[in-house]
Amino acid sequence: MKTNEFLKTIDKLIPDARCELNYNKDYELLIATVLSAQCTDKRVNEATAKLFKEYDIFSLAKAKESDIQSIIYTLGSHSKKSKYIIEIAKRLVNDYNGIVPNNREYLESLPGVGRKTCNVVLSNLFNEPAIAVDTHVARVAIRLGLANKDDSVLEIEKKLMKFLPKERWSKTHHQLVLFGRYICKSKKPECEKCLFTCKYGK
Ligand code: SF4
């Protein structure tokens, strides 16, 4: 498939591309993204609505793990995630007075923050061109023949970066997430709604 053809089609399918995690502050997006590992955005939004009503970055840095666990227990791995977000809050408060820096190396040094989380944060907060490859993006890229089944997440990211113009990386990342979440679903893709043709579907 040619890049132009792909972009025209994805623009028709997913015209409004945006992050579905709710946040009002920079650190809220970072923490919500860490919490979203192996979990739906909907459940994360429910938990963070409570979490950020009770805590800001400064109080979170001093919070008790058990109190945080009781708020995020629906998200899975709540013990590990509580530790991560308290530690992230401590580091941000100590190093940047609670502000999330536009610094990939620093962000990737935070607990629970890998390349995918970092890409989400950099692209949403700082408009940095980035493609975060999550489970949806990986599945869709493979089904559409933009990547191979055996490719690592990093290889998929590199192939997408080569295939897409840089100015479209961030927008198309969101489009791929939403396309995978609502149309090209893992178990029962809704191929009748799809405008692509692929060997996995129609
Ligand atoms: Fe996914 Fe079906 Fe579209 Fe193929 S045709 S990309 S499987 S929704």
Side-chain angles (χ1 to χ4, degrees):
M1 189 176 359
K2 297 225 167 74
T3 302
N4 279 351
E5 184 194 337
F6 168 83
L7 289 174
K8 271 188 200 163
T9 309
I10 199 82
D11 284 348
K12 278 188 201 151
L13 285 166
I14 312 287
D16 286 324
R18 65 197 158 72
C19 178
E20 290 198 319
L21 289 171
N22 296 337
Y23 65 97
N24 293 308
K25 300 192 172 129
D26 57 356
Y27 65 82
E28 292 185 0
L29 174 66
L30 172 59
I31 286 168
T33 311
V34 169
L35 293 177
S36 72
Q38 314 293 324
C39 186
T40 64
D41 287 359
K42 187 170 176 278
R43 271 202 268 159
V44 173
N45 287 337
E46 285 163 6
T48 53
K50 283 188 213 155
L51 181 69
F52 298 129
K53 204 171 166 196
E54 290 185 33
Y55 294 89
D56 64 12
I57 194 73
F58 299 98
S59 52
L60 187 57
K62 293 179 186 158
K64 274 207 279 180
E65 256 178 65
S66 54
D67 291 341
I68 301 302
Q69 282 183 25
S70 69
I71 296 175
I72 66 161
Y73 70 96
T74 53
L75 305 184
S77 306
H78 60 283
S79 166
K80 194 169 69 179
K81 287 178 179 175
S82 300
K83 280 193 180 71
Y84 285 165
I85 65 173
I86 293 171
E87 183 58 28
I88 288 172
K90 280 183 189 164
R91 293 268 309 272
L92 284 184
V93 167
N94 286 336
D95 300 336
Y96 288 95
N97 199 26
I99 291 164
V100 178
N102 182 357
N103 181 332
R104 176 182 288 280
E105 204 182 329
Y106 178 82
L107 292 174
E108 287 192 4
S109 77
L110 297 172
V113 179
R115 189 173 173 87
K116 188 206 86 176
T117 297
C118 191
N119 282 349
V120 169
V121 169
L122 292 177
S123 101
N124 282 289
L125 294 184
F126 304 110
N127 287 323
E128 293 286 341
I131 302 175
V133 178
D134 68 358
T135 178
H136 300 298
V137 175
R139 180 178 67 255
V140 168
I142 292 166
R143 284 179 177 171
L144 289 175
L146 306 177
N148 297 323
K149 212 171 158 195
D150 300 330
D151 285 343
S152 67
V153 166
L154 187 57
E155 281 166 337
I156 296 175
E157 184 184 324
K158 283 184 182 163
K159 284 184 178 175
L160 289 174
M161 288 194 296
K162 203 168 167 197
F163 179 70
L164 298 166
K166 202 168 184 178
E167 67 274 13
R168 284 296 303 258
W169 289 358
S170 292
K171 177 179 178 184
T172 305
H173 150 251
H174 288 305
Q175 290 175 309
L176 289 171
V177 171
L178 299 182
F179 176 60
R181 191 173 286 163
Y182 299 114
I183 299 176
C184 191
K185 299 175 192 172
S186 171
K187 289 204 178 114
K188 287 187 185 164
E190 299 190 17
C191 301
E192 67 284 358
K193 291 185 185 165
C194 184
L195 302 173
F196 290 113
T197 305
C198 86
K199 63 181 179 182
Y200 289 86
K202 57 185 165 60

